[in-house]
Amino acid sequence: MKKLGIIAAVIVVLFAAIIILTNLSNQSKLSDSNPYGTTDLQQSTIDFLDNEFYQNIIQPEALKEKIATGEPVVAYMFSPECPHCKNFTPNLMPIADEVGVHIDQLNILEYQAGWNEYGIEYTPTLIYFNEGKEVNRIVGDYSSEKEKVVEFLEQAKK
């Protein structure tokens, strides 16, 4: 009986330690590199804060303003919980760098209004805007179709 109590106590202490370490890690990430302007984020978003492929986060109002200028804008609608986004983004961002096109990333897990506002049916969705209007979009994981991604991004350079 004593052994069972000791084992249970050790398990409780281990879980408490894991919770404390996770909270400390989250606090550090939220204070160091948080482009969202809030600490009320989903855990999956917090996990992506220091991911090199998710460093072009834009807030919804800033994206609207950028599109309204009429300049070319490439917006990437993603969710950190989407397996297709997790596969596509590490392929997309280096291609964008090669082509020389900046991609603004809107996390629609955190900004749910983006689904309706931009007519998003699935993630990932890449949208090209010019003169304040949508010109083209690709939906889904195009990781294996680099040529199509390059062709899509080249539009924004013209």
Side-chain angles (χ1 to χ4, degrees), residues 43-144:
Q43 184 62 48
S44 56
T45 295
I46 294 170
D47 293 342
F48 273 44
L49 286 175
D50 58 358
N51 185 307
E52 68 179 305
F53 299 114
Y54 293 91
Q55 296 303 306
N56 294 345
I57 301 298
I58 191 166
Q59 294 191 22
E61 290 304 316
L63 180 59
K64 285 181 201 172
E65 290 172 11
K66 197 169 182 181
I67 292 168
T69 67
E71 295 297 315
V73 176
V74 178
Y76 179 58
M77 312 304 180
F78 77 97
S79 169
E81 295 180 354
C82 165
H84 305 291
C85 299
K86 290 177 185 179
N87 190 56
F88 184 45
T89 308
N91 293 292
L92 170 64
M93 299 312 287
I95 294 170
D97 288 341
E98 285 175 28
V99 174
V101 172
H102 177 80
I103 295 178
D104 291 301
Q105 300 169 319
L106 184 68
N107 180 341
I108 59 175
L109 175 66
E110 298 297 336
Y111 303 113
Q112 292 286 317
W115 288 97
N116 291 330
E117 194 167 327
Y118 297 103
I120 306 300
E121 294 180 8
Y122 306 101
T123 55
T125 297
L126 194 60
I127 306 173
Y128 169 55
F129 297 92
N130 196 13
E131 297 179 8
K133 296 183 173 111
E134 180 177 332
V135 176
N136 197 4
R137 77 171 50 198
I138 57 174
V139 178
D141 181 358
Y142 277 73
S143 295
S144 62

